[in-house]
Amino acid sequence: MGEKLKVRPNMMTPTEFQENLQKSTDNSHLKLLTIASYVIAGLSLLGIGFLFLHYQMMSMFFNNPEMLKNSKGGPPPQEFFVMFKLFYPIMGCAFLVVSIGNFLSAIFISKRKYSTFSLIVAGFNCPHFPLGTALGVFTIMVLIRPTVVNQYSAIKNNDGR
């Protein structure tokens, strides 16, 4: 009756088990965030291609007098197209910034560095419904989790910074 319970050296305590389970969950969520950020970066580059095709179609339409000879009222086609010419570079730059931001965020998440940068990119992703919103919210939820913050801190401390 006076025997002490002997714990085998390779057995985990419930606390260690819970910590390992949480670390595994965090790592899988961070891996999913990395993949999703790469996907959004690629889709943004695809958006630039779509924008170029849209410009070509609009240019062909507005520069062809035969297509517009029966139009009644409205702004003159050439002046209207000038406004579109301002729209294309602005949207192209926006797509490029989103693409580069998500690409860098994916790299940083995989290396567990610069969580603030990834949180800022997540904030910029949120208005881009529905994929950007999902990625942005999920990124924020994961990166502010205390166990993930600890992972980033541990890597930061190991780098000597």
Side-chain angles (χ1 to χ4, degrees):
M1 273 210 281
E3 293 180 32
K4 290 185 179 178
L5 180 64
K6 293 185 180 181
V7 178
R8 293 190 321 209
N10 61 352
M11 287 185 64
M12 283 190 270
T13 65
T15 305
E16 290 173 335
F17 178 77
Q18 185 66 28
E19 287 172 358
N20 284 344
L21 184 63
Q22 185 62 48
K23 187 172 183 175
S24 174
T25 301
D26 290 342
N27 287 336
S28 65
H29 286 175
L30 290 167
K31 188 174 183 176
L32 285 172
L33 284 178
T34 301
I35 293 167
S37 293
Y38 280 130
V39 168
I40 294 295
L43 288 174
S44 295
L45 285 179
L46 207 62
I48 293 172
F50 172 76
L51 205 59
F52 179 75
L53 287 174
H54 191 270
Y55 172 79
Q56 293 299 320
M57 288 174 33
M58 295 299 279
S59 177
M60 183 177 65
F61 177 74
F62 282 116
N63 292 326
N64 186 353
E66 289 295 317
M67 291 184 142
L68 300 169
K69 68 181 177 180
N70 293 329
S71 66
K72 298 175 183 164
Q78 296 304 329
E79 286 79 16
F80 187 68
F81 191 54
V82 168
M83 289 188 301
F84 268 109
K85 285 183 180 179
L86 294 173
F87 167 78
Y88 290 113
I90 291 169
M91 288 306 295
C93 287
F95 277 129
L96 189 61
V97 167
V98 167
S99 181
I100 291 170
N102 278 294
F103 183 77
L104 290 174
S105 180
I107 292 171
F108 295 154
I109 289 171
S110 68
K111 293 182 179 185
R112 310 294 190 268
K113 292 187 174 191
Y114 311 117
S115 62
T116 305
F117 178 84
S118 296
L119 286 168
I120 291 169
V121 171
F124 282 116
N125 282 338
C126 284
H128 301 141
F129 187 79
L131 297 178
T133 303
L135 177 61
V137 169
F138 188 54
T139 301
I140 292 167
M141 287 173 54
V142 170
L143 291 182
I144 65 171
R145 192 181 301 153
T147 53
V148 173
V149 170
N150 289 341
Q151 275 192 33
Y152 273 80
S153 297
I155 289 176
K156 186 176 182 181
N157 292 337
N158 288 340
D159 286 346
R161 292 182 192 162

